[in-house]
Amino acid sequence: MTTIGIIGGGQLGLMLAEQARTLATEVRCIALDPAPDAPAFAACGERIVGRFDDPAAVEELCRRSDVVTYEFENVPGEILIPLCEKYRIPQGYRPLYDSQDRLREKQNARDHGLQTPDFRAVDDEDSLRRAVAELGLPAVLKTRAMGYDGHGQALLRTEADIEKALPLVAVPSILEEFVPFDFEASVVMVADERRVVSFPIGRNVHRDGILDLCFVPAGRNAGVLERMRVESERFMRACGYRGILAIEYFVRGEAFYFNEMAPRPHNSGHYTIEGATTNQFRELARYLVGEELHTPELAAPTVMKNILGQDLAAAERIAARVAAEKRTDVHVHFYGKTESRPKRKMGHITFVGATPETYARCWANDFVK
Ligand code: AMP
């Protein structure tokens, strides 16, 4: 029996714990989260209710686990670095460190050969105005730390937008060139000592800065996506990362630009549970327990739709219809979150065998625009 400890008890921890049960190795999971009703607790044999910045709580998780991973990205280094010496945390602190700060993250991507939108560090009005003069408008201002799903960002189009954005630069920030992309895509990879496997790349559609839909295959620019896969795998190796890594890109013509990365399962990879021959959670679990990785293949064209708070009623109707019709091609996942809010990720639906066209015809109208 191997015990996987998970720092973070959100939906990523929930699906990791569920998929870990499907391995040949007997696995149980234990999660640490400050919320007593965290989703992952439902699938874990044991739980620790505690904060990520409480060294005693994180160490207790390590002590009670054979191997530890994280699904929460902002675990402080002061806590994790000493624990990496004492316990088996095979992904280590490095990928977290490299991704926790947008400036460091983009510099690291460039240093390892990936193209990024041009960017400047900004920390006051002067540096912001200088950066705008150098990069031009439109440009995107983002806080360096703790940003996700479009939080802590402002699109600057005009002089007036610069004035409005000044409160943002009270904290260290980054100004990026605006990329008028054709579409967004992300690569999810799992690496062990021997090799990197990556999941088929889809096309991501965001709504209000949050992932809304993922279409796999992406259906365009196959050559660019193949180069994206090869360069992403090379990047992961060059950085020496192990375990799981997701990279988000903007695709424009024949070029692709690194936007951000996350050393944890990724929302765009949720489709792999039913849409691929193996999934991102299972391969991460395989890595953690030391099983040989499997190479993922797309099982069928697939569409993944996020269920945000505002989509919940529609998703419940779809779930009822799927159950009544005994459909095996539509999979509705609810994360068991007790409180629903607009823009909160409450679940997702995977439509296996669906294309963008069949999705638009059969399902899209169920959701409020
Ligand atoms: P992020 O939090 O960096 O993933 O940004 C959220 C979303 O904002 C992205 O998925 C894009 O849709 C958009 N965005 C962020 N940065 C840029 C950029 N430099 N150019 C164009 N769109 C961007």
Side-chain angles (χ1 to χ4, degrees), residues 10-318:
Q11 63 267 19
L12 304 177
L14 168 70
M15 290 183 269
L16 175 59
E18 286 170 350
Q19 293 298 320
R21 289 199 202 122
T22 67
L23 298 190
T25 310
E26 213 179 320
V27 175
R28 50 182 211 119
C29 291
I30 169 168
L32 163 71
D33 198 277
D37 59 350
F41 288 156
C44 289
E46 289 180 63
R47 66 179 69 183
I48 300 173
V49 178
R51 291 161 52 118
F52 306 122
D53 58 359
D54 173 1
V58 183
E59 177 144 21
E60 187 190 341
L61 178 79
C62 295
R63 231 187 1 254
R64 287 163 63 178
S65 308
D66 297 304
V67 59
V68 172
T69 186
Y70 32 74
E71 61 107 81
F72 174 77
E73 284 157 273
N74 290 303
V75 194
E78 313 85 84
I79 293 182
L80 207 59
I81 292 167
L83 294 175
C84 288
E85 307 275 305
K86 270 174 83 178
Y87 300 96
R88 241 180 80 66
I89 310 176
Q91 289 157 278
Y93 182 62
R94 187 83 216 182
L96 280 183
Y97 176 82
D98 291 341
S99 59
Q100 276 169 353
D101 175 318
R102 289 187 190 272
L103 181 67
R104 196 158 62 216
E105 181 183 43
K106 289 217 162 59
Q107 195 56 54
N108 178 63
R110 278 199 173 173
D111 292 346
H112 290 93
L114 295 178
Q115 201 173 353
T116 72
D118 204 358
F119 61 86
R120 297 286 185 279
V122 159
D123 37 30
D124 53 20
E125 181 169 352
D126 275 359
S127 51
L128 176 61
R129 291 196 182 276
R130 236 185 355 261
V132 169
E134 287 170 16
L135 298 181
L137 291 180
V140 186
L141 183 66
K142 302 179 180 179
T143 55
R144 280 171 59 174
M146 303 296 277
Y148 67 99
D149 285 347
H151 292 268
Q153 297 197 9
L155 174 63
L156 312 185
R157 289 185 186 280
T158 61
E159 186 64 25
D161 292 339
I162 303 175
E163 291 290 329
K164 269 192 275 169
L166 286 177
L168 262 189
V169 294
V171 295
S173 300
I174 177 174
L175 188 75
E176 289 177 17
E177 168 193 6
F178 177 83
V179 180
F181 52 78
D182 302 332
F183 65 98
E184 297 184 73
S186 43
V187 184
V188 179
M189 299 169 282
V190 178
D192 63 11
E193 313 309 315
R194 276 194 332 110
R195 65 187 188 123
V196 185
V197 299
S198 51
F199 291 85
I201 302 173
R203 174 165 65 88
N204 300 338
V205 178
H206 289 79
R207 193 170 37 154
D208 301 329
I210 306 172
L211 185 69
D212 183 33
L213 289 159
C214 183
F215 298 103
V216 201
R220 23 182 127 153
N221 301 48
V224 180
L225 298 182
E226 178 56 14
R227 277 197 290 120
M228 183 186 289
R229 180 188 69 76
V230 170
E231 289 200 26
S232 301
E233 292 183 1
R234 194 192 41 70
F235 170 81
M236 190 170 184
R237 269 278 164 263
C239 293
Y241 301 148
R242 300 281 186 275
I244 190 159
L245 184 76
I247 307 182
E248 296 179 17
Y249 292 98
F250 303 133
V251 182
R252 186 174 188 216
E254 295 306 304
F256 55 94
Y257 301 88
F258 173 104
N259 176 35
E260 61 182 4
M261 66 177 193
R264 51 155 176 78
H266 194 258
N267 196 165
S268 67
H270 293 0
Y271 87 86
T272 60
I273 297 177
E274 295 93 5
T277 51
T278 183
N279 64 70
Q280 59 170 352
F281 302 100
R282 190 185 294 156
E283 291 315 303
L284 170 59
R286 277 204 173 104
Y287 163 73
L288 292 169
V289 304
E291 284 187 16
E292 181 114 353
L293 300 181
H294 290 198
T295 305
E297 308 279 350
L298 191 63
T302 298
V303 177
M304 192 283 304
K305 163 86 178 101
N306 258 347
I307 305 171
L308 302 182
Q310 63 269 32
D311 302 320
L312 203 52
E316 279 162 357
R317 282 196 302 273
I318 290 178

